[in-house]
Amino acid sequence: MSSRWITILGLLVVVGLTGGWLVHLEEEPTLAREAARHTPDSYMHDFIRTDMDERGLVKRRLNAKYMIHFPDDGSTELLQPRLGIYTDGSNPWYVTSERGWANAGNELIRLSGVVRIWSPARQGRGKLEVITRDLEVWPKIEYAETDKAAILIGPSSITHAVGLRVKLGSDRLELLHEVKSHYEVKAARE
């Protein structure tokens, strides 16, 4: 083999190695960007978000001890969230939990840990409270559900169930499985 072919072959090897090295250099920032993708861009202490209806009345209020926002998917993580849903401007439902996650448009809020749902006493009806775990809430359509065990505490009853659907706008609760209730009947006064 002549020295000319050896030089050409050597140059081809150098060009090939350089091209592979350049491709590798281009891949490293992509890998670094992928690893850093789900990093927060903002956070707040004592966060409050209020949504109003067309009449200017409070429709929903979400507050949390701590909020972290992630720009890659627009999601938000919440510490000790409290959600108020005002179904007709005056009759609220409240939901609290240990932790929460909301998607980009706040259409879905996943509450984890111990979750409490309650509605204050209303005319003709007493206070209702539900204690459960891991609840999914769709605030805009005023709906929530879980497949976990739930305890419903009413003015004169305690009900245990597994699985729960709540239509907050119409004050309807659907208990899905293993429903057991205990009612306390007050004695008539003489």
Side-chain angles (χ1 to χ4, degrees), residues 15-186:
V15 167
L17 290 174
T18 303
W21 182 65
L22 288 173
V23 167
H24 177 71
L25 285 178
E26 289 177 7
E27 287 178 358
E28 281 186 24
T30 302
L31 294 174
R33 279 193 307 269
E34 289 296 319
R37 248 184 100 192
H38 197 67
T39 57
D41 66 345
S42 61
Y43 66 92
M44 284 188 230
H45 291 277
D46 300 320
F47 162 79
I48 300 174
R49 175 190 168 144
T50 303
D51 297 329
M52 312 291 263
D53 67 12
E54 58 281 345
R55 298 171 295 166
L57 299 173
V58 174
K59 189 73 176 156
R60 291 174 291 280
R61 181 171 287 137
L62 174 64
N63 59 326
K65 188 80 173 161
Y66 191 73
M67 180 277 299
I68 304 172
H69 180 262
F70 295 90
D72 62 316
D73 62 0
S75 68
T76 304
E77 291 182 8
L78 305 161
L79 179 63
Q80 298 176 359
R82 176 184 169 126
L83 175 64
I85 298 177
Y86 303 85
T87 57
D88 66 4
S90 62
N91 292 329
W93 279 90
Y94 298 105
V95 185
T96 62
S97 72
E98 298 169 19
R99 292 172 309 284
W101 173 92
N103 70 354
N106 287 324
E107 289 92 12
L108 171 62
I109 299 175
R110 288 190 179 121
L111 300 172
S112 56
V114 175
V115 178
R116 288 183 58 232
I117 309 167
W118 75 95
S119 181
R122 300 178 188 182
Q123 188 173 6
R125 293 174 39 190
K127 177 182 176 181
L128 175 67
E129 181 176 6
V130 179
I131 301 170
T132 188
R133 298 189 64 80
D134 305 338
L135 185 76
E136 292 191 346
V137 181
W138 288 266
K140 292 179 182 175
I141 62 170
E142 300 174 347
Y143 177 80
E145 70 179 23
T146 184
D147 60 356
K148 305 295 187 214
I151 302 171
L152 286 74
I153 304 166
S156 60
S157 67
I158 296 178
T159 302
H160 295 263
V162 176
L164 170 75
R165 295 182 188 140
V166 184
K167 295 180 181 177
L168 302 167
S170 61
D171 293 344
R172 288 188 45 186
L173 283 93
E174 180 181 359
L175 306 174
L176 302 179
H177 309 285
E178 302 177 35
V179 179
K180 297 176 186 167
S181 291
H182 172 78
Y183 293 93
E184 182 180 309
V185 179
K186 294 182 181 179

